[in-house]
Amino acid sequence: MKALYNTSGRHASWTVASSSYTACWAVSGYPARLHQAIRMAVKSPDPNLTSREKAHIAAMQVFASGNRPKAAEMWRAILVDHPKDVVSIRLLFGACIDLAEFMLMRDYLAAVLPWWTEEDELYPFILSYYAFALEQTNQRDRAEHLARKALDLQKKTPWAYHTLSHVIEEERETVSGVEFLTSSRENWKGSFLNGHITWHLALYYLDQSNLSELFHEFDTVLCSLLEPDNLFGLIDAISLLWRLNVAGVEAGEERWKKITDVCAQHVENCTFTWFNLHVMMSLAHGKVSESAARLVLAERLLKSISEYAKSNTSTDCKVADVIGVPVGNALLAFGKGQYSEVISLMLPLKYDLVKLGGSWAQRQVFSVTLIHAAIRSNQLPLALALIAELRAMKPKSKTLDKLYKEIKGLCGAMDRTSVLDRGGLPLNCSSERALELFNKALHASLSTNESFIQYLREACELDSGFVLVHCMLGSFWLSSSTPPSHPNGKSPLPVTREKAHIAAMQVLASGNRPKAAEMWRAILVDHPKDVVSIRLLFYACIDLAEFMLMRDYLAAVLPWWTEEDELYPFILSYYAFALEQTNQRDRAEHLARKALDLQKKTPWAYHTLSHVIEEERETVSGVEFLTSSRENWKGSYLNGHITWHLALYYLDQNNFSELFHEFDTVLCSLLEPDDLYGLVDAISLLWRLNVAGVEAGEERWKKITDVCAQHVENCTFTWFNLHVMMSLAHGKVSESAARLVLAERLLKSISEYAKSNTSTDCKVADVVGVPVGNALLAFGKGQYSEVISLMLPLKYDLVKLGGSWAQRQVFSVTLIHAAIRSKQLPLALALIAELRAMKPKSRTLDKLYKEIKGLCGTMEQGPIRIVELP
């Protein structure tokens, strides 16, 4: 048996490729097979391995050591030079699922796909991979289009059916899902995804409360796959029955026993946290305390997970330690009827559960566990919020709609007694005028922002014990970490909600922004019309780039607001922005336009549409939209930032005269030492020109650097500090002694700030700020390979800096131009392709991609080599 090339045209050693597949399958739970595969590859009889094959061996060894993220990075690197390497495409795809790194999945597939054509036999399968990546990053329309295209080319493309199963669950009535999967069953039932797609079909039946069909699918398909070696088949079966279990639906002990008999073999051997937690579900079902045998096994499993978590430093062991142990305890607590304990253990981890891996649909098993734990522990407002969050992602779900209405009815109406704020909530205030000013401040903070701080200060002067006024001022200025006093007995002791605000402000002042966000979120569970929490949590989410949290909390509060509420359009526009930042652009545009129909001067609606247009439309339409609506947004606090978006449209069109006009007339007027966000907009715009080699003029830069020089010694906000570095590192910084000195002092300041305390931002400064600051300065010094070395490994950590996706693109374009200038053209091409896939109508990216691809030429296939296969 002989081989020349693989099906993608890449010559390959069979031993290396086969061993890579074997090893990466075996790592799911069979270490002996894993090490055997490694030995096969390392001891390959072929002495003339290519650099690509050597890279595969290295990646496999790293993968075997437990460092999946590093292995994924190495496969990604192989694909930069070899975009038709099917082994890397397949292995990286699986690794991305295990790590839930769907942005990486989307990006690497966007980079390799242009090298494939419909003439390639494997093209439909690669296309279906990309469709799934798009679906998992919420780009469902494009996902559906590409999945159906894949099926047009090849009917038996399992990942296309799988992708469409997800799309239907999240966007359609589940009856259409049943029709689609049953009618196409002959095309997917013989694939390796047979069990999993059947699981999706069973979920459709669950949503319809069609238990007879659900159990038919379980008994005839899922049960047939219950083998000790088939971890993923076991996960599907367990996950389905556990969903029934938490909802109080009996599946029958006979069905559970078929699963637990197999799972009992895995109690002592923990190698995969995602699977281990499903084993716990199988043991903890029903009333586990009434089954001595299962309880013993469950407690032994908990011990095994704990020991595994401490056994080494692999990626999955770290996940087991941080998530596996508490979630395992929570699942067992559910089986014991300790529902409040479930909430205590799992709720703080809600946005960390993604680290377990799997798809969003698979991880929903934890969401429904939390929902039913909240219901059973009589924490109905929390249950309602959790249902609302999930329902917003699956708006056509019959089960969620019915449950939401039922629980909302039990929650009853909100308390509207006592003195009320603009959201209709009670508060303590001894002055009618102070209350009037406070409500004006709330409106202004959501709409124009004009004078809202002044309104708060005046209210504070009238009622020095006005708790929420102190909290708003304190949260913005971090001027106090102690509760405000109540001189002269003007105000009574704060109500519970006000006490919670004081506590959140203290936590924020200590630098723990995620904890403060969690506390505002908790306030909104009980008080969904608390405008102070809505506003402060919104901006905390932006600073933390926690857009899933933003989307979820706004989905939970919005049903309590109506069009009769004066502030409704502004809250709606917040939600639209959250949807846009989580790639749900169609819904974002619909709600942003609805907000504008209700209130023309809704700045966040214009901002949201600015993002949608940049990512989905020709930028000429963006210019037309923003210039024609300017009167409605130019008086708002987003004037500078929306102008920045307008300038980006001009940049995409190479219309520098209009770009500089916007910079000189608007952005320059906002260059004040205290206006950090205004400075960020101005710097970010000119830096994009700088890396592309476009001269902005030293006079413009000097206006910025004169202001930024005042911030060199005082680092308090990493996102801003890095923009200060851009202002100092522009051009050829080595030719400006003064700027070079300031830049080096700034690097020292960032490093000192990173070590100064344990605040959230100091940690970000340490992990991201210091290396990226060095990279930006390296760009200014012409050390472009150094830029790549420092920034590329952090590509998916840059989100920790905060800001929107459009704002963080400044780092993407820096990487692209560093790669071009250092003549790493395949890398530059991959990076451009990734960004171009997210902005398909960008003229600049399209032109640059074609130019660099032309320079890269055709892929090198190397000499024909004949390899004897064993």
Side-chain angles (χ1 to χ4, degrees):
M1 187 176 180
K2 298 181 179 182
L4 300 176
Y5 288 91
N6 62 28
T7 56
S8 65
R10 313 303 304 168
H11 72 77
S13 160
W14 180 89
T15 305
V16 172
S18 175
S19 298
S20 292
Y21 276 123
T22 305
C24 295
W25 172 77
V27 81
S28 297
Y30 302 95
R33 298 178 193 177
L34 169 64
H35 295 301
Q36 179 185 1
I38 293 171
R39 286 194 296 272
M40 285 175 62
V42 174
K43 294 180 179 180
S44 171
D46 187 352
N48 301 308
L49 292 176
T50 65
S51 59
R52 180 171 70 104
E53 291 166 330
K54 290 175 183 177
H56 268 292
I57 292 172
M60 186 169 59
Q61 289 173 312
V62 168
F63 189 73
S65 74
N67 192 343
R68 289 186 190 192
K70 181 63 179 175
E73 187 181 313
M74 295 168 79
W75 287 317
R76 180 70 186 93
I78 292 171
L79 287 168
V80 166
D81 292 313
H82 307 284
K84 297 192 80 172
D85 184 311
V86 182
V87 175
S88 291
I89 289 172
R90 176 65 176 82
L91 298 182
L92 184 50
F93 185 76
C96 286
I97 292 175
D98 289 343
L99 296 166
E101 286 286 358
F102 292 108
M103 285 193 291
L104 169 59
M105 180 191 286
R106 178 198 65 199
D107 289 350
Y108 92 78
L109 288 163
V112 304
L113 258 177
W115 294 98
W116 293 76
T117 71
E118 293 183 13
E119 295 175 2
D120 292 304
E121 184 183 5
L122 296 181
Y123 176 74
F125 305 103
I126 309 299
L127 190 64
S128 71
Y129 276 13
Y130 185 46
F132 182 70
L134 291 171
E135 199 286 329
Q136 287 296 293
T137 51
N138 293 327
Q139 295 167 266
R140 295 176 193 144
D141 286 346
R142 290 184 66 200
E144 180 171 5
H145 171 71
L146 295 183
R148 293 193 183 280
K149 180 179 178 180
L151 291 178
D152 288 341
L153 295 169
Q154 167 56 265
K155 284 185 178 180
K156 294 191 174 183
T157 306
W159 279 96
Y161 292 105
H162 185 207
T163 298
L164 292 169
S165 299
H166 280 265
V167 171
I168 291 168
E169 181 182 356
E170 292 155 27
E171 295 286 341
R172 311 275 199 279
E173 297 276 353
T174 50
V175 66
S176 66
V178 170
E179 182 181 348
F180 170 69
L181 289 184
T182 53
S183 64
S184 61
R185 194 163 208 153
E186 287 301 313
N187 294 325
W188 54 262
K189 74 174 184 179
S191 78
F192 58 96
L193 283 177
N194 175 34
H196 190 64
I197 296 176
T198 299
W199 174 79
H200 277 281
L201 177 58
L203 289 185
Y204 298 155
Y205 288 130
L206 177 58
D207 186 63
Q208 298 167 27
S209 297
N210 189 341
L211 298 182
S212 62
E213 289 295 337
L214 181 154
F215 287 132
H216 173 74
E217 296 297 338
F218 182 88
D219 296 337
T220 59
V221 180
L222 297 181
C223 257
S224 69
L225 301 173
L226 297 179
E227 299 292 338
D229 289 357
N230 187 3
L231 307 194
F232 296 103
L234 283 164
I235 285 170
D236 287 333
I238 295 166
S239 172
L240 181 62
L241 293 200
W242 180 260
R243 290 172 190 238
L244 296 173
N245 176 72
V246 296
V249 178
E250 286 291 331
E253 196 56 37
E254 186 178 340
R255 290 188 178 94
W256 273 115
K257 191 174 185 304
K258 289 178 181 178
I259 294 174
T260 53
D261 284 349
V262 179
C263 285
Q265 303 173 48
H266 292 278
V267 166
E268 303 287 355
N269 182 31
C270 290
T271 56
F272 185 20
T273 303
W274 174 248
F275 174 65
N276 303 336
L277 292 178
H278 283 78
V279 173
M280 178 58 78
M281 293 176 200
S282 76
L283 300 174
H285 74 269
K287 296 180 180 178
V288 68
S289 303
E290 296 177 1
S291 173
R294 281 196 286 116
L295 184 58
V296 168
L297 285 173
E299 289 171 345
R300 277 167 56 192
L301 177 59
L302 275 182
K303 184 181 177 183
S304 294
I305 295 173
S306 298
E307 290 170 350
Y308 170 62
K310 304 298 183 185
S311 63
N312 60 62
T313 59
S314 73
T315 310
D316 195 58
C317 285
K318 293 174 184 176
V319 171
D321 187 34
V322 176
I323 301 171
V325 172
V327 173
N329 276 286
L331 295 171
L332 182 54
F334 197 104
K336 292 179 177 179
Q338 300 165 349
Y339 304 117
S340 293
E341 181 71 4
V342 177
I343 302 296
S344 300
L345 288 165
M346 278 182 66
L347 190 59
L349 296 172
K350 187 171 185 284
Y351 295 98
D352 290 320
L353 293 171
V354 66
K355 295 174 184 175
L356 289 168
S359 70
W360 180 76
Q362 287 176 305
R363 292 192 304 276
Q364 274 181 50
V365 70
F366 301 109
S367 300
V368 296
T369 301
L370 273 171
I371 286 169
H372 287 285
I375 293 171
R376 294 186 185 209
S377 60
N378 208 35
Q379 299 182 52
L380 298 186
L382 174 60
L384 192 68
L386 294 170
I387 298 165
E389 294 170 9
L390 192 55
R391 183 171 170 243
M393 293 295 288
K394 298 168 64 175
K396 301 293 179 68
S397 169
K398 294 180 180 179
T399 300
L400 290 173
D401 188 59
K402 179 182 177 182
L403 190 60
Y404 183 82
K405 290 173 181 175
E406 179 184 335
I407 301 301
K408 191 171 185 183
L410 293 173
C411 284
M414 293 185 300
D415 179 12
R416 293 185 177 275
T417 60
S418 186
V419 179
L420 306 180
D421 66 12
R422 201 162 201 130
L425 299 178
L427 49 72
N428 282 301
C429 176
S430 61
S431 163
E432 287 187 13
R433 175 59 180 162
L435 178 61
E436 180 185 344
L437 289 166
F438 174 66
N439 282 325
K440 280 187 175 181
L442 290 182
H443 188 281
S445 71
L446 293 176
S447 54
T448 63
N449 218 48
E450 180 184 0
S451 305
F452 91 93
I453 292 293
Q454 186 57 37
Y455 288 144
L456 291 172
R457 285 175 173 160
E458 289 178 19
C460 193
E461 289 173 6
L462 291 168
D463 184 352
S464 60
F466 201 150
V467 171
L468 291 184
V469 168
H470 280 287
C471 287
M472 282 196 77
L473 287 170
S475 297
F476 280 105
W477 303 113
L478 300 181
S479 57
S480 171
S481 60
T482 57
S485 59
H486 306 281
N488 305 319
K490 279 188 175 183
S491 293
L493 290 174
V495 296
T496 302
R497 180 170 68 104
E498 293 167 326
K499 289 177 182 177
H501 270 290
I502 293 170
M505 184 177 67
Q506 290 174 312
V507 168
L508 183 67
S510 74
N512 192 344
R513 203 167 289 189
K515 181 63 178 176
E518 186 182 312
M519 295 168 79
W520 287 318
R521 179 70 187 91
I523 292 171
L524 286 168
V525 165
D526 291 312
H527 308 285
K529 298 194 77 172
D530 185 311
V531 182
V532 176
S533 291
I534 290 172
R535 175 68 164 73
L536 297 181
L537 183 50
F538 184 76
Y539 280 91
C541 287
I542 292 175
D543 289 342
L544 295 167
E546 286 286 358
F547 293 107
M548 285 194 291
L549 169 59
M550 180 192 285
R551 178 198 65 199
D552 289 350
Y553 92 79
L554 287 163
V557 304
L558 259 177
W560 293 97
W561 294 77
T562 70
E563 293 182 13
E564 295 176 3
D565 293 304
E566 186 181 7
L567 297 182
Y568 176 73
F570 306 108
I571 310 297
L572 190 64
S573 71
Y574 275 14
Y575 185 46
F577 182 70
L579 290 171
E580 199 286 328
Q581 286 297 293
T582 51
N583 293 326
Q584 295 167 266
R585 295 176 194 146
D586 286 346
R587 290 185 66 201
E589 180 171 5
H590 171 70
L591 294 183
R593 293 194 184 280
K594 180 179 178 181
L596 291 178
D597 287 342
L598 295 169
Q599 167 55 264
K600 285 185 178 180
K601 295 192 174 183
T602 306
W604 277 95
Y606 292 105
H607 184 207
T608 298
L609 292 169
S610 300
H611 280 266
V612 170
I613 291 168
E614 181 182 356
E615 292 155 28
E616 295 285 342
R617 310 276 198 280
E618 295 277 353
T619 49
V620 65
S621 68
V623 170
E624 182 182 346
F625 171 67
L626 288 184
T627 53
S628 65
S629 61
R630 194 163 208 154
E631 287 301 313
N632 293 326
W633 54 262
K634 74 175 185 180
S636 78
Y637 56 100
L638 283 178
N639 175 35
H641 189 64
I642 295 177
T643 299
W644 174 79
H645 278 280
L646 177 58
L648 289 185
Y649 297 155
Y650 288 130
L651 175 58
D652 187 63
Q653 299 166 28
N654 286 330
N655 189 339
F656 298 116
S657 61
E658 289 296 338
L659 182 154
F660 287 131
H661 173 73
E662 296 297 339
F663 181 90
D664 295 337
T665 58
V666 181
L667 297 182
C668 258
S669 68
L670 302 172
L671 297 179
E672 299 291 339
D674 290 347
D675 187 358
L676 306 192
Y677 296 103
L679 283 164
V680 164
D681 287 333
I683 295 165
S684 173
L685 181 62
L686 294 199
W687 180 261
R688 290 171 191 237
L689 296 173
N690 175 73
V691 296
V694 178
E695 287 291 331
E698 196 55 39
E699 185 179 339
R700 289 188 178 93
W701 273 114
K702 190 175 185 304
K703 290 178 181 177
I704 293 173
T705 53
D706 285 349
V707 179
C708 285
Q710 303 173 47
H711 291 279
V712 167
E713 304 287 356
N714 182 32
C715 290
T716 56
F717 185 20
T718 303
W719 172 251
F720 174 66
N721 302 336
L722 293 177
H723 283 78
V724 173
M725 178 58 78
M726 293 176 200
S727 75
L728 300 174
H730 75 269
K732 296 179 179 178
V733 68
S734 303
E735 296 177 2
S736 173
R739 280 197 286 116
L740 185 58
V741 168
L742 284 173
E744 288 171 346
R745 278 168 55 193
L746 176 59
L747 275 182
K748 183 181 178 183
S749 294
I750 294 173
S751 298
E752 291 172 349
Y753 169 62
K755 304 298 182 185
S756 63
N757 61 63
T758 59
S759 73
T760 309
D761 195 57
C762 284
K763 293 175 184 175
V764 171
D766 188 34
V767 175
V768 183
V770 172
V772 173
N774 277 286
L776 295 170
L777 182 53
F779 197 104
K781 290 178 176 179
Q783 300 166 350
Y784 304 118
S785 293
E786 181 72 3
V787 177
I788 302 296
S789 299
L790 288 165
M791 277 182 67
L792 190 60
L794 296 172
K795 187 171 185 285
Y796 295 97
D797 289 319
L798 293 171
V799 66
K800 295 174 183 175
L801 291 167
S804 71
W805 181 77
Q807 288 177 303
R808 292 192 305 275
Q809 274 180 50
V810 71
F811 301 110
S812 299
V813 296
T814 301
L815 273 171
I816 286 169
H817 288 285
I820 293 171
R821 294 186 186 209
S822 61
K823 294 184 169 48
Q824 299 182 52
L825 298 187
L827 174 60
L829 192 68
L831 293 170
I832 298 164
E834 293 171 9
L835 192 55
R836 183 171 170 244
M838 293 295 288
K839 298 167 64 174
K841 299 295 179 67
S842 168
R843 296 179 185 181
T844 301
L845 289 173
D846 189 59
K847 179 182 176 183
L848 190 60
Y849 183 83
K850 291 173 181 176
E851 179 184 335
I852 301 302
K853 191 172 185 184
L855 293 172
C856 285
T858 58
M859 294 184 301
E860 180 187 353
Q861 291 192 336
I864 295 177
R865 295 166 51 222
I866 300 177
V867 180
E868 292 291 337
L869 302 184

